Coordinates of all heavy atoms in Angstrom, one line a residue:
M1 N 44.7 72.0 82.1 CA 43.8 71.1 82.9 C 42.5 71.8 83.2 O 42.6 73.0 83.6 CB 44.6 70.7 84.2 CG 43.8 70.0 85.3 SD 44.5 69.9 86.8 CE 45.9 68.8 86.4
E2 N 41.5 71.1 82.9 CA 40.2 71.8 83.3 C 39.6 71.1 84.6 O 39.5 69.8 84.7 CB 39.2 71.7 82.2 CG 38.0 72.5 82.4 CD 37.0 72.7 81.2 OE1 37.6 72.9 80.1 OE2 35.8 72.7 81.4
E3 N 39.2 71.9 85.6 CA 38.6 71.4 86.8 C 37.6 72.4 87.2 O 37.9 73.6 87.3 CB 39.7 71.2 87.7 CG 39.4 70.5 89.0 CD 40.5 70.2 89.9 OE1 41.6 70.4 89.5 OE2 40.3 69.8 91.0
F4 N 36.4 72.0 87.6 CA 35.4 72.9 88.1 C 35.1 74.0 87.0 O 34.8 75.1 87.5 CB 35.8 73.4 89.4 CG 36.1 72.4 90.5 CD1 37.3 72.3 91.0 CD2 35.1 71.5 90.9 CE1 37.6 71.4 92.0 CE2 35.5 70.5 91.8 CZ 36.8 70.4 92.3
G5 N 35.2 73.7 85.7 CA 34.8 74.6 84.8 C 35.9 75.7 84.5 O 35.8 76.7 83.8
V6 N 37.0 75.6 85.3 CA 38.2 76.5 85.1 C 39.3 75.8 84.4 O 39.7 74.7 84.8 CB 38.6 77.0 86.5 CG1 39.8 78.0 86.4 CG2 37.4 77.8 87.2
T7 N 39.9 76.5 83.5 CA 41.0 75.9 82.7 C 42.2 76.5 83.4 O 42.5 77.7 83.6 CB 41.0 76.4 81.3 OG1 39.8 75.8 80.7 CG2 42.3 75.8 80.5
R8 N 43.1 75.5 83.9 CA 44.4 75.8 84.6 C 45.5 76.0 83.6 O 45.7 75.1 82.9 CB 44.7 74.9 85.7 CG 43.6 74.7 86.8 CD 43.7 75.8 87.8 NE 45.1 76.2 88.3 CZ 45.6 75.6 89.4 NH1 45.1 74.8 90.1 NH2 46.8 76.0 89.7
T9 N 46.0 77.1 83.6 CA 47.2 77.4 82.7 C 48.5 77.7 83.5 O 49.4 78.0 83.0 CB 46.9 78.4 81.7 OG1 46.6 79.6 82.3 CG2 45.8 78.0 80.7
D10 N 48.3 77.8 84.9 CA 49.3 78.5 85.7 C 50.2 77.3 86.4 O 50.9 77.7 87.4 CB 48.7 79.5 86.6 CG 47.6 78.8 87.6 OD1 47.2 77.8 87.3 OD2 47.5 79.4 88.6
M11 N 50.0 76.1 86.1 CA 50.7 75.1 86.9 C 52.0 74.9 86.2 O 52.2 74.9 85.0 CB 49.9 73.8 86.8 CG 48.5 73.8 87.4 SD 47.6 72.3 87.4 CE 48.5 71.3 88.6
A12 N 53.0 74.9 87.1 CA 54.3 74.8 86.6 C 54.7 73.4 86.0 O 54.4 72.4 86.7 CB 55.4 75.1 87.7
P13 N 55.1 73.4 84.8 CA 55.6 72.0 84.3 C 56.7 71.5 85.2 O 57.5 72.3 85.9 CB 56.1 72.4 83.0 CG 55.6 73.6 82.5 CD 55.3 74.3 83.9
M14 N 56.8 70.2 85.4 CA 57.7 69.6 86.3 C 59.2 70.0 86.1 O 60.1 70.0 87.0 CB 57.6 68.1 86.4 CG 56.3 67.7 87.2 SD 56.0 68.5 88.8 CE 57.4 67.8 89.7
D15 N 59.5 70.3 84.7 CA 60.9 70.7 84.6 C 61.1 72.0 85.0 O 62.3 72.5 85.0 CB 61.2 70.7 83.0 CG 60.4 71.6 82.2 OD1 59.4 72.2 82.8 OD2 60.7 71.8 80.9
Q16 N 60.2 72.8 85.5 CA 60.4 74.1 86.2 C 60.4 74.0 87.7 O 60.4 75.0 88.4 CB 59.3 75.1 85.7 CG 59.6 75.4 84.3 CD 58.6 76.5 83.8 OE1 57.7 77.0 84.5 NE2 58.8 76.9 82.5
V17 N 60.2 72.8 88.2 CA 60.1 72.7 89.6 C 61.4 71.8 90.2 O 61.8 70.8 89.5 CB 58.9 71.9 90.0 CG1 58.9 71.5 91.6 CG2 57.7 72.5 89.6
Q18 N 62.1 72.3 91.1 CA 63.4 71.7 91.6 C 63.3 71.7 93.1 O 62.7 72.5 93.8 CB 64.5 72.7 91.2 CG 65.9 72.2 91.5 CD 66.9 73.2 91.0 OE1 66.6 74.3 90.7 NE2 68.1 72.7 91.0
R19 N 63.9 70.6 93.7 CA 63.9 70.4 95.2 C 65.4 70.6 95.5 O 66.3 69.7 95.0 CB 63.4 69.1 95.6 CG 62.0 69.1 95.8 CD 61.6 67.8 96.6 NE 61.8 68.0 98.0 CZ 61.1 68.5 98.9 NH1 60.0 69.1 98.5 NH2 61.6 68.6 100.1
I20 N 65.8 71.5 96.3 CA 67.2 71.6 96.8 C 67.2 71.2 98.3 O 66.4 71.6 99.1 CB 67.7 73.1 96.7 CG1 67.6 73.6 95.2 CG2 69.0 73.3 97.3 CD1 67.9 75.0 95.0
P21 N 68.0 70.1 98.5 CA 68.0 69.5 99.9 C 68.2 70.6 101.0 O 68.9 71.5 100.8 CB 69.2 68.5 99.8 CG 69.4 68.3 98.4 CD 69.0 69.6 97.7
V22 N 67.4 70.2 102.1 CA 67.4 71.1 103.3 C 68.1 70.3 104.4 O 67.8 69.2 104.8 CB 66.0 71.5 103.8 CG1 66.1 72.5 104.9 CG2 65.3 72.1 102.5
T23 N 69.2 70.9 105.0 CA 69.8 70.2 106.1 C 69.4 70.8 107.4 O 69.6 70.0 108.4 CB 71.4 70.4 105.9 OG1 71.7 71.8 105.9 CG2 71.9 69.7 104.6
E24 N 68.7 71.9 107.5 CA 68.3 72.4 108.8 C 66.9 71.9 109.1 O 66.1 71.7 108.1 CB 68.3 74.0 108.7 CG 69.7 74.5 108.6 CD 69.6 76.0 108.6 OE1 68.8 76.7 109.2 OE2 70.5 76.5 107.9
V25 N 66.6 71.9 110.4 CA 65.2 71.5 110.7 C 64.4 72.7 110.6 O 64.6 73.9 111.0 CB 65.2 71.1 112.2 CG1 63.7 70.9 112.7 CG2 66.1 69.8 112.5
F26 N 63.3 72.7 109.8 CA 62.3 73.7 109.6 C 60.9 73.3 110.0 O 60.1 74.2 110.0 CB 62.4 74.3 108.2 CG 61.9 73.3 107.1 CD1 60.6 73.4 106.7 CD2 62.7 72.4 106.5 CE1 60.2 72.6 105.7 CE2 62.3 71.6 105.5 CZ 61.0 71.6 105.1
I27 N 60.8 72.2 110.5 CA 59.5 71.7 111.0 C 59.7 71.0 112.4 O 60.6 70.1 112.4 CB 58.8 70.7 110.1 CG1 58.6 71.2 108.8 CG2 57.4 70.3 110.7 CD1 58.0 70.1 107.7
D28 N 59.1 71.5 113.4 CA 59.3 70.8 114.7 C 57.8 70.9 115.5 O 56.9 71.6 115.0 CB 60.2 71.6 115.5 CG 61.0 70.8 116.6 OD1 60.5 69.6 116.8 OD2 61.9 71.3 117.2
I29 N 57.8 70.1 116.6 CA 56.6 70.1 117.4 C 56.9 71.0 118.7 O 58.0 70.7 119.3 CB 56.3 68.7 117.9 CG1 56.0 67.8 116.6 CG2 55.0 68.7 118.8 CD1 54.8 68.2 115.8
Y30 N 56.1 72.0 119.1 CA 56.4 72.7 120.2 C 56.3 71.9 121.5 O 57.3 72.0 122.3 CB 55.4 74.0 120.4 CG 55.5 75.0 119.3 CD1 54.5 75.2 118.4 CD2 56.7 75.7 119.3 CE1 54.7 76.3 117.5 CE2 56.9 76.8 118.4 CZ 55.8 77.0 117.5 OH 55.9 78.0 116.5
D31 N 55.3 71.1 121.7 CA 55.1 70.4 122.9 C 54.6 69.0 122.7 O 53.3 68.8 122.4 CB 54.1 71.2 123.8 CG 53.9 70.5 125.2 OD1 54.4 69.4 125.4 OD2 53.4 71.1 126.1
P32 N 55.4 68.1 122.6 CA 55.0 66.6 122.3 C 54.0 66.1 123.3 O 53.3 65.2 122.9 CB 56.3 65.9 122.4 CG 57.4 66.9 122.0 CD 56.9 68.1 122.7
T33 N 53.9 66.6 124.5 CA 53.0 66.0 125.4 C 51.6 66.5 125.1 O 50.6 65.7 125.4 CB 53.3 66.6 126.9 OG1 53.2 67.9 126.9 CG2 54.7 66.2 127.3
I34 N 51.3 67.5 124.3 CA 50.0 67.8 123.9 C 49.6 66.8 122.9 O 48.4 66.3 122.9 CB 50.0 69.2 123.3 CG1 50.3 70.2 124.3 CG2 48.7 69.4 122.4 CD1 50.3 71.7 123.8
C35 N 50.5 66.4 121.9 CA 50.2 65.3 120.9 C 49.8 64.0 121.6 O 48.8 63.4 121.3 CB 51.4 65.1 120.1 SG 52.2 66.5 119.3
L36 N 50.5 63.7 122.7 CA 50.3 62.4 123.4 C 49.1 62.4 124.2 O 48.3 61.5 124.2 CB 51.6 62.1 124.2 CG 51.5 60.8 125.0 CD1 51.4 59.6 124.1 CD2 52.7 60.6 125.9
N37 N 48.8 63.5 125.0 CA 47.8 63.5 126.0 C 46.6 64.2 125.7 O 45.5 63.9 126.3 CB 48.5 64.1 127.3 CG 49.7 63.3 127.8 OD1 49.6 62.2 127.7 ND2 50.7 64.0 128.3
R38 N 46.5 65.2 124.7 CA 45.5 65.9 124.5 C 44.8 65.8 123.0 O 43.6 65.9 122.9 CB 45.6 67.4 124.8 CG 46.0 67.6 126.2 CD 46.4 69.2 126.6 NE 45.4 70.0 126.1 CZ 45.6 71.4 125.9 NH1 46.7 71.9 126.3 NH2 44.6 72.2 125.6
C39 N 45.6 65.5 122.1 CA 45.2 65.5 120.7 C 44.6 64.2 120.4 O 45.4 63.2 120.2 CB 46.3 65.8 119.7 SG 45.8 66.0 118.0
V40 N 43.3 64.0 120.2 CA 42.7 62.7 120.2 C 42.9 62.0 118.8 O 43.4 60.9 118.7 CB 41.1 62.7 120.5 CG1 40.5 61.4 120.3 CG2 41.0 63.3 121.9
N41 N 42.6 62.7 117.7 CA 42.7 62.1 116.4 C 43.9 62.3 115.6 O 43.9 61.9 114.5 CB 41.4 62.7 115.6 CG 40.1 62.2 116.3 OD1 40.1 61.1 116.7 ND2 39.2 63.1 116.2
K42 N 44.9 63.0 116.2 CA 46.1 63.3 115.4 C 45.9 63.8 114.0 O 46.4 63.1 113.0 CB 47.0 62.0 115.5 CG 47.1 61.2 116.7 CD 47.4 61.9 118.0 CE 47.5 60.8 119.0 NZ 47.3 61.5 120.4
P43 N 45.2 64.8 113.8 CA 44.8 65.2 112.4 C 46.0 65.5 111.6 O 45.9 65.4 110.3 CB 44.0 66.5 112.6 CG 44.2 66.9 114.0 CD 44.6 65.7 114.8
C44 N 47.1 65.8 112.1 CA 48.4 66.1 111.2 C 48.7 64.9 110.4 O 49.3 65.0 109.3 CB 49.5 66.6 112.1 SG 50.1 65.4 113.2
T45 N 48.3 63.7 110.9 CA 48.6 62.5 110.2 C 47.8 62.3 108.9 O 48.1 61.3 108.2 CB 48.6 61.2 111.0 OG1 47.2 61.2 111.6 CG2 49.5 61.5 112.3
Y46 N 46.7 63.1 108.8 CA 45.9 63.0 107.6 C 45.7 64.3 106.9 O 45.3 64.3 105.7 CB 44.7 62.2 107.8 CG 43.8 62.6 108.9 CD1 42.8 63.6 108.7 CD2 43.9 62.0 110.2 CE1 42.0 64.0 109.8 CE2 43.0 62.3 111.2 CZ 42.1 63.5 111.0 OH 41.3 63.8 112.0
F47 N 45.9 65.5 107.6 CA 45.6 66.6 106.7 C 46.7 67.1 105.9 O 46.7 67.7 104.8 CB 45.1 67.9 107.6 CG 46.3 68.4 108.5 CD1 47.4 68.9 108.1 CD2 45.9 68.6 109.9 CE1 48.4 69.5 109.0 CE2 46.8 69.0 110.8 CZ 48.1 69.5 110.3
C48 N 48.0 66.7 106.1 CA 49.1 67.0 105.3 C 49.0 66.1 104.0 O 49.0 64.9 104.0 CB 50.4 66.5 106.0 SG 51.9 66.8 105.0
P49 N 49.0 66.8 102.9 CA 48.8 66.2 101.6 C 50.0 65.2 101.2 O 49.8 64.4 100.3 CB 48.7 67.2 100.5 CG 49.3 68.5 101.2 CD 49.1 68.3 102.7
T50 N 51.2 65.5 101.8 CA 52.3 64.7 101.5 C 52.8 63.7 102.5 O 53.9 63.2 102.6 CB 53.5 65.6 101.0 OG1 53.8 66.4 101.9 CG2 53.1 66.2 99.7
Q51 N 52.0 63.7 103.6 CA 52.2 62.7 104.8 C 53.6 63.0 105.5 O 54.3 62.0 105.7 CB 52.0 61.2 104.3 CG 50.7 61.0 103.8 CD 50.5 59.5 103.3 OE1 51.4 59.0 102.7 NE2 49.3 59.0 103.5
V52 N 53.9 64.2 105.7 CA 55.0 64.6 106.4 C 55.0 64.0 107.9 O 56.0 63.6 108.5 CB 55.2 66.0 106.6 CG1 56.3 66.5 107.5 CG2 55.6 66.6 105.1
Y53 N 53.7 63.9 108.5 CA 53.6 63.7 109.9 C 53.1 62.1 110.0 O 52.1 61.8 109.4 CB 52.6 64.6 110.5 CG 53.0 66.0 110.4 CD1 52.5 66.8 109.3 CD2 54.0 66.5 111.1 CE1 52.9 68.0 109.2 CE2 54.3 67.9 111.0 CZ 53.8 68.5 109.9 OH 54.3 69.9 109.7
Q54 N 53.7 61.4 110.9 CA 53.3 60.0 111.1 C 53.4 59.7 112.7 O 54.2 60.4 113.3 CB 54.2 59.0 110.4 CG 54.0 59.1 108.9 CD 54.8 58.1 108.1 OE1 55.6 57.4 108.7 NE2 54.4 57.9 106.9
W55 N 52.4 59.0 113.1 CA 52.3 58.6 114.5 C 53.0 57.4 114.7 O 52.6 56.4 114.3 CB 50.8 58.7 114.9 CG 50.7 58.6 116.4 CD1 50.2 57.4 117.2 CD2 51.0 59.5 117.4 NE1 50.2 57.6 118.5 CE2 50.7 59.0 118.7 CE3 51.4 60.8 117.4 CZ2 50.8 59.6 120.0 CZ3 51.5 61.5 118.6 CH2 51.2 60.9 119.8
Q56 N 54.1 57.4 115.5 CA 54.8 56.1 115.7 C 55.4 56.2 117.1 O 55.9 57.2 117.6 CB 56.0 56.0 114.8 CG 55.7 55.8 113.3 CD 56.9 55.8 112.3 OE1 58.1 55.9 112.8 NE2 56.7 55.8 111.1
D57 N 55.2 55.1 117.9 CA 55.8 54.9 119.3 C 55.3 56.2 120.1 O 56.2 56.7 120.9 CB 57.4 54.9 119.2 CG 57.8 53.7 118.4 OD1 57.1 52.7 118.5 OD2 58.8 53.8 117.7
N58 N 54.0 56.5 120.1 CA 53.5 57.5 120.9 C 54.1 58.9 120.7 O 54.2 59.8 121.5 CB 53.5 57.2 122.3 CG 52.6 56.1 122.7 OD1 51.6 56.0 122.1 ND2 52.9 55.2 123.6
Q59 N 54.4 59.1 119.5 CA 55.0 60.5 119.2 C 54.8 60.8 117.6 O 54.6 59.9 116.8 CB 56.4 60.8 119.5 CG 57.4 59.8 118.8 CD 58.8 60.1 119.3 OE1 59.2 60.9 120.0 NE2 59.6 59.1 119.0
V60 N 54.8 62.1 117.4 CA 54.7 62.5 115.9 C 56.2 62.5 115.4 O 57.2 63.0 115.9 CB 54.2 63.9 115.7 CG1 54.3 64.4 114.3 CG2 52.7 64.0 116.3
V61 N 56.3 61.6 114.2 CA 57.6 61.5 113.5 C 57.5 62.4 112.2 O 56.5 62.3 111.6 CB 57.9 60.2 113.2 CG1 59.2 60.0 112.3 CG2 58.0 59.3 114.5
I62 N 58.4 63.3 112.1 CA 58.4 64.3 111.0 C 59.4 63.9 109.9 O 60.5 63.7 110.3 CB 58.7 65.7 111.5 CG1 57.6 66.2 112.5 CG2 58.7 66.7 110.4 CD1 58.0 67.4 113.3
N63 N 58.9 63.8 108.7 CA 59.7 63.5 107.6 C 59.7 64.8 106.7 O 58.9 64.9 105.8 CB 59.2 62.2 106.7 CG 60.2 61.9 105.6 OD1 61.1 62.7 105.4 ND2 60.0 60.8 105.1
Q64 N 60.5 65.8 107.0 CA 60.4 67.0 106.4 C 60.8 67.0 104.9 O 60.5 67.9 104.1 CB 61.1 68.1 107.2 CG 62.6 68.1 107.2 CD 63.3 69.2 107.8 OE1 62.7 70.0 108.6 NE2 64.6 69.5 107.5
D65 N 61.5 66.0 104.5 CA 61.9 65.8 103.1 C 60.8 65.7 102.2 O 60.8 65.9 100.9 CB 62.9 64.6 102.9 CG 64.3 64.8 103.5 OD1 64.6 66.0 103.8 OD2 64.9 63.8 103.7
R66 N 59.6 65.3 102.7 CA 58.4 65.1 102.0 C 57.6 66.4 101.8 O 56.6 66.6 101.0 CB 57.5 64.2 102.6 CG 58.1 62.8 102.7 CD 57.0 61.9 103.4 NE 55.9 61.7 102.5 CZ 55.7 60.7 101.7 NH1 56.6 59.8 101.5 NH2 54.6 60.6 100.8
C67 N 58.0 67.5 102.5 CA 57.2 68.8 102.6 C 57.3 69.5 101.3 O 58.3 69.7 100.6 CB 57.8 69.7 103.7 SG 57.0 71.2 103.9
V68 N 56.1 69.9 100.8 CA 56.1 70.7 99.5 C 55.7 72.2 99.9 O 55.4 72.9 99.0 CB 55.0 70.1 98.6 CG1 55.4 68.8 98.1 CG2 53.5 70.0 99.2
E69 N 55.8 72.6 101.2 CA 55.7 74.0 101.6 C 54.3 74.5 101.3 O 54.2 75.7 100.9 CB 56.8 74.8 101.0 CG 58.2 74.2 101.4 CD 59.3 74.8 100.5 OE1 59.1 76.0 100.1 OE2 60.3 74.2 100.4
C70 N 53.2 73.7 101.5 CA 51.9 74.3 101.3 C 51.3 75.1 102.4 O 50.4 75.8 102.1 CB 50.9 73.1 100.9 SG 50.5 72.1 102.4
G71 N 51.9 74.8 103.5 CA 51.5 75.6 104.6 C 50.3 75.1 105.5 O 49.7 75.6 106.5
A72 N 49.8 73.8 105.1 CA 48.7 73.2 105.8 C 48.9 73.0 107.3 O 48.0 73.0 108.1 CB 48.3 72.0 105.1
S73 N 50.1 72.7 107.7 CA 50.5 72.4 109.1 C 50.1 73.5 110.0 O 49.6 73.3 110.9 CB 52.1 72.3 109.2 OG 52.5 71.3 108.3
V74 N 50.3 74.8 109.6 CA 50.2 76.0 110.5 C 48.7 76.1 110.7 O 48.2 76.4 111.7 CB 50.6 77.3 109.7 CG1 50.3 78.5 110.5 CG2 52.2 77.1 109.4
M75 N 47.8 75.8 109.7 CA 46.4 75.9 109.8 C 45.7 74.6 110.4 O 44.7 74.7 111.0 CB 45.6 76.2 108.5 CG 46.1 77.5 107.8 SD 45.4 77.9 106.3 CE 46.5 76.9 105.3
G76 N 46.3 73.5 110.2 CA 45.5 72.2 110.5 C 45.6 71.8 111.9 O 44.8 71.0 112.4
C77 N 46.7 72.1 112.7 CA 46.8 71.5 114.0 C 45.9 72.2 114.9 O 46.0 73.4 115.1 CB 48.3 71.6 114.4 SG 48.6 71.1 116.1
P78 N 45.1 71.5 115.6 CA 44.0 72.2 116.5 C 44.7 72.8 117.7 O 44.0 73.7 118.3 CB 43.1 71.1 116.8 CG 43.9 69.9 116.6 CD 44.8 70.1 115.6
Y79 N 45.8 72.6 118.0 CA 46.6 73.1 119.2 C 47.6 74.1 118.8 O 48.5 74.6 119.6 CB 47.1 72.0 120.1 CG 46.1 71.2 120.6 CD1 45.7 70.0 120.0 CD2 45.4 71.6 121.8 CE1 44.7 69.2 120.5 CE2 44.4 70.8 122.3 CZ 44.0 69.6 121.7 OH 42.9 68.8 122.3
G80 N 47.8 74.4 117.5 CA 48.9 75.3 117.0 C 50.3 74.8 117.5 O 51.1 75.6 117.9
N81 N 50.4 73.5 117.5 CA 51.6 72.8 118.1 C 52.7 72.6 117.1 O 53.7 72.0 117.4 CB 51.0 71.6 118.7 CG 52.0 71.1 119.8 OD1 52.8 71.8 120.3 ND2 52.0 69.8 120.1
I82 N 52.4 72.9 115.7 CA 53.5 72.7 114.8 C 54.3 73.9 114.5 O 53.7 75.0 114.1 CB 52.9 72.1 113.5 CG1 52.2 70.8 113.9 CG2 54.0 71.9 112.5 CD1 51.4 70.2 112.7
D83 N 55.6 73.9 114.7 CA 56.5 75.0 114.5 C 57.0 74.8 113.0 O 57.8 74.0 112.7 CB 57.6 75.0 115.4 CG 58.6 76.1 115.1 OD1 58.3 77.0 114.4 OD2 59.7 76.0 115.8
W84 N 56.3 75.5 112.1 CA 56.7 75.2 110.7 C 57.1 76.6 110.1 O 56.5 77.6 110.3 CB 55.4 74.9 109.9 CG 55.7 74.6 108.4 CD1 56.0 73.4 107.9 CD2 55.6 75.5 107.4 NE1 56.1 73.4 106.5 CE2 55.9 74.8 106.2 CE3 55.3 76.9 107.2 CZ2 55.9 75.4 104.9 CZ3 55.3 77.5 106.0 CH2 55.7 76.7 104.9
K85 N 58.3 76.5 109.4 CA 58.9 77.7 108.7 C 59.1 77.3 107.3 O 59.4 76.1 107.0 CB 60.1 78.3 109.4 CG 59.9 78.5 110.9 CD 61.4 79.0 111.3 CE 61.7 78.5 112.8 NZ 61.4 77.1 113.0
Y86 N 59.3 78.3 106.4 CA 59.8 78.0 105.1 C 61.3 77.5 105.3 O 61.9 78.0 106.3 CB 59.8 79.2 104.2 CG 58.4 79.4 103.6 CD1 57.7 80.4 104.0 CD2 57.9 78.5 102.7 CE1 56.4 80.7 103.4 CE2 56.7 78.8 102.0 CZ 56.0 79.9 102.5 OH 54.7 80.1 101.9
P87 N 61.8 76.6 104.5 CA 63.2 76.2 104.6 C 64.0 77.5 104.3 O 63.6 78.5 103.8 CB 63.4 75.2 103.4 CG 62.0 74.8 103.1 CD 61.0 76.0 103.5
P88 N 65.3 77.5 104.8 CA 66.2 78.6 104.6 C 66.3 78.9 103.2 O 66.2 78.0 102.3 CB 67.5 78.0 105.2 CG 67.2 76.9 106.0 CD 65.9 76.3 105.5
G89 N 66.6 80.2 102.9 CA 66.6 80.7 101.6 C 67.5 79.8 100.6 O 68.5 79.4 100.9
G90 N 66.9 79.6 99.4 CA 67.7 78.7 98.4 C 67.5 77.4 98.4 O 68.1 76.6 97.7
T91 N 66.8 76.8 99.5 CA 66.6 75.4 99.6 C 65.1 75.1 99.6 O 64.3 76.0 99.5 CB 67.2 74.9 100.9 OG1 66.5 75.5 102.0 CG2 68.7 75.2 101.0
G92 N 64.8 73.8 99.5 CA 63.4 73.3 99.6 C 62.9 73.4 98.1 O 63.7 73.3 97.1
V93 N 61.5 73.5 98.0 CA 60.9 73.6 96.6 C 61.2 75.0 95.9 O 61.0 75.9 96.6 CB 59.4 73.3 96.8 CG1 58.7 73.4 95.5 CG2 59.2 72.0 97.4
V94 N 61.8 74.8 94.8 CA 62.1 76.1 94.0 C 61.3 75.9 92.7 O 61.4 74.9 92.0 CB 63.6 76.1 93.7 CG1 63.8 77.5 92.9 CG2 64.4 76.3 95.1
I95 N 60.5 77.0 92.4 CA 59.9 77.0 91.0 C 60.5 78.1 90.3 O 60.5 79.2 90.5 CB 58.3 77.2 91.2 CG1 57.8 76.2 92.0 CG2 57.7 77.3 89.7 CD1 56.4 76.3 92.3
K96 N 61.0 77.7 89.1 CA 61.7 78.6 88.2 C 60.7 79.3 87.3 O 59.7 78.6 86.8 CB 62.8 77.9 87.3 CG 63.9 77.3 88.1 CD 64.9 76.7 87.2 CE 64.4 75.3 86.8 NZ 65.3 74.5 86.0
H97 N 60.7 80.6 87.1 CA 59.7 81.4 86.3 C 60.5 81.8 85.1 O 61.6 82.1 85.1 CB 59.2 82.5 87.2 CG 58.4 82.1 88.3 ND1 57.1 81.8 88.2 CD2 58.8 82.1 89.7 CE1 56.7 81.4 89.5 NE2 57.7 81.6 90.3
G98 N 59.8 81.8 84.0 CA 60.3 82.4 82.9 C 61.1 81.4 81.9 O 61.2 80.3 82.0
Ligands
SF4_101 S1 47.7 67.7 115.0 FE1 49.0 68.9 116.4 S2 48.6 68.4 118.5 FE2 47.7 66.8 117.2 S3 49.3 65.2 117.0 FE3 49.6 66.5 115.3 S4 51.0 68.1 115.9 FE4 50.2 67.0 117.8

C-alpha cells in the first residue's frame, strides 16, 4: 500500500491478526460526573477510531469488544477520565509474527 509517498510493507495480513475474547473489564471511566457535568463535546465519542464510546442516557457507554488497542483513549480525553489498560495477557488483539 502506498500512502504519502511511502510504501507500506509492514501491515499484517488479516490471517495474522486474531482477536481472543476478553472477559475482564479493561476500559472504565474514573468519574462519570465529569462526563456529565464538565465535558461539553464528549470527544471520546468521535476520537476513538472504532467507536468504543457512545453517549447514551447521559453517560458514556463503553463497548470494549470494539477496542483495537490503539491507545487513543489515554491521549484523547481532555480530563484524563478514561481508565484504559491493555487486556489481560493472551487476550484481545493478537498479531502473529513470522
Ligand atoms: S472525553 Fe473523557 S470526560 Fe469527556 S465524555 Fe469522554 S470520557 Fe468523559
Side-chain angles (χ1 to χ4, degrees):
M1 170 188 297
E2 183 168 328
E3 190 173 351
F4 306 116
V6 176
T7 301
R8 297 285 311 266
T9 58
D10 59 343
M11 296 180 73
M14 289 310 291
D15 63 349
Q16 294 183 357
V17 178
Q18 183 181 12
R19 279 193 72 87
I20 299 176
V22 184
T23 55
E24 294 180 31
V25 173
F26 66 96
I27 307 173
D28 204 356
I29 303 294
Y30 288 116
D31 184 350
T33 64
I34 292 176
C35 305
L36 180 63
N37 299 322
R38 294 176 59 192
C39 187
V40 176
N41 295 323
K42 324 299 185 206
C44 62
T45 62
Y46 52 86
F47 67 61
C48 173
T50 56
Q51 299 178 326
V52 167
Y53 308 92
Q54 295 185 342
W55 187 252
Q56 294 176 5
D57 301 323
N58 286 329
Q59 64 181 345
V60 175
V61 175
I62 299 170
N63 185 350
Q64 70 174 21
D65 289 345
R66 299 181 62 94
C67 182
V68 294
E69 302 166 27
C70 72
S73 305
V74 177
M75 294 179 279
C77 174
Y79 295 95
N81 201 22
I82 298 175
D83 178 12
W84 184 91
K85 304 176 219 45
Y86 281 109
T91 60
V93 176
V94 177
I95 299 174
K96 296 181 276 182
H97 297 280

